[in-house]
Amino acid sequence: SGRHRVPRATAQLLAPVGDPEKVICVGLNYHDHCQEQGVKVPKEPLIFSKFPSAITGPFDDIVHPQDTSELDWEVELAAVIGKRGRHIEEAAALEHVLGFTVANDVSARDWQMRRNGRQWLLGKTFDTFCPLGPAIVTREAVADVHNLWIRCSVNGQRMQDSSTRHLIFGVPALVAWVSRFVTLVPGDILLTGTPAGVGVFRKPPIFLKRGDEVQCEIEELGTICNRVV
């Protein structure tokens, strides 16, 4: 109707799902990301998690913790669960997905790789370490979720530039795998992994600093942009 519209400049977009029951993440799930580390392609999905308290809005600040000097970016395709399920068959897995959005799996590499017994959780789950948005694009509206370009830029410089066709385990396989262990419920977020180009594996490594601007974008899904403070 054209009525009841709010000018974009006057609105602050929140994360499209702000308080999910679970934020499930996948490591080493792009062929090019494995290559840049010199590691073998996993035979099974590598699953870890973030706490929901890490979620922040698509244009909100990323808070640089005082506890890390190795803050890194990871653009990721995120799937949002829309239908409850356990032991989901891969052939029916997409029926349990409401849609997709853009995520940044912000990572404190020192905590992820050397501290906390090398368990990944703490390095992945500081507050604001999961910018999410700008919206959920429904499954039916995406032509082919496994053929979308996916990119990340820092201060306007392209750092990651790949395609979801390089995923090792696609969305149906991941939904089926995770549901072997836990019940998936509507609103659960599944981060599907990041492609090559993260800071820690560059020579020399590059890490985020306060004042940097990180932009993550996925074809058909949109763009999120967050300043490090």
Side-chain angles (χ1 to χ4, degrees):
S1 66
R3 297 182 299 164
H4 313 298
R5 290 182 175 174
V6 176
R8 174 67 187 91
T10 67
Q12 178 190 2
L13 286 184
L14 304 179
V17 181
D19 189 24
E21 182 179 288
K22 296 183 283 295
V23 181
I24 304 158
C25 308
V26 186
L28 298 175
N29 199 33
Y30 277 78
H31 288 280
D32 53 4
H33 187 46
C34 292
Q35 291 169 0
E36 73 175 344
Q37 301 177 57
V39 298
K40 294 180 179 180
V41 172
K43 295 181 180 180
E44 298 173 336
L46 176 60
I47 304 299
F48 62 100
S49 67
K50 289 176 176 280
F51 292 131
S53 54
I55 292 176
T56 192
F59 305 104
D60 290 344
D61 293 336
I62 297 168
V63 177
H64 192 309
Q66 295 182 348
D67 295 293
T68 183
S69 59
E70 298 182 1
L71 193 66
D72 206 348
W73 58 85
E74 292 191 8
V75 61
E76 306 211 5
L77 167 74
V80 182
I81 299 300
K83 178 182 175 183
R84 184 183 182 94
R86 180 84 197 278
H87 299 297
I88 300 167
E89 295 292 334
E90 186 172 335
L94 282 180
E95 298 173 12
H96 292 261
V97 175
L98 170 68
F100 305 97
T101 192
V102 183
N104 185 354
D105 178 17
V106 183
S107 306
R109 299 300 189 186
D110 39 6
W111 283 93
Q112 177 191 359
M113 296 178 170
R114 297 190 302 279
R115 304 187 65 176
N116 194 41
R118 296 185 179 180
Q119 297 184 65
W120 289 12
L121 177 64
L122 288 184
K124 294 284 191 173
T125 204
F126 284 89
D127 288 355
T128 74
F129 270 27
C130 190
L132 198 67
I136 299 171
V137 179
T138 57
R139 181 186 75 245
E140 297 83 359
V142 180
D144 182 359
V145 74
H146 299 109
N147 190 26
L148 304 174
W149 53 253
I150 178 169
R151 297 169 179 163
C152 177
S153 300
V154 178
N155 300 327
Q157 180 179 352
R158 186 69 51 79
M159 295 298 189
Q160 294 179 277
D161 192 349
S162 188
S163 170
T164 57
R165 68 176 180 269
H166 299 306
L167 280 164
I168 296 166
F169 302 101
V171 174
L174 293 174
V175 170
W177 176 261
V178 172
S179 74
R180 290 174 56 176
F181 306 93
V182 297
T183 300
L184 295 174
V185 301
D188 282 351
I189 306 293
L190 175 62
L191 274 61
T192 60
T194 198
V198 298
V200 69
F201 298 120
R202 292 177 175 268
K203 299 179 180 179
I206 299 173
F207 295 113
L208 295 170
K209 58 186 183 301
R210 292 175 182 85
D212 285 346
E213 187 175 86
V214 186
Q215 180 170 295
C216 297
E217 53 184 335
I218 301 177
E219 184 180 7
E220 299 186 30
L221 304 186
T223 301
I224 62 177
C225 189
N226 308 89
R227 183 170 294 276
V228 181
V229 299

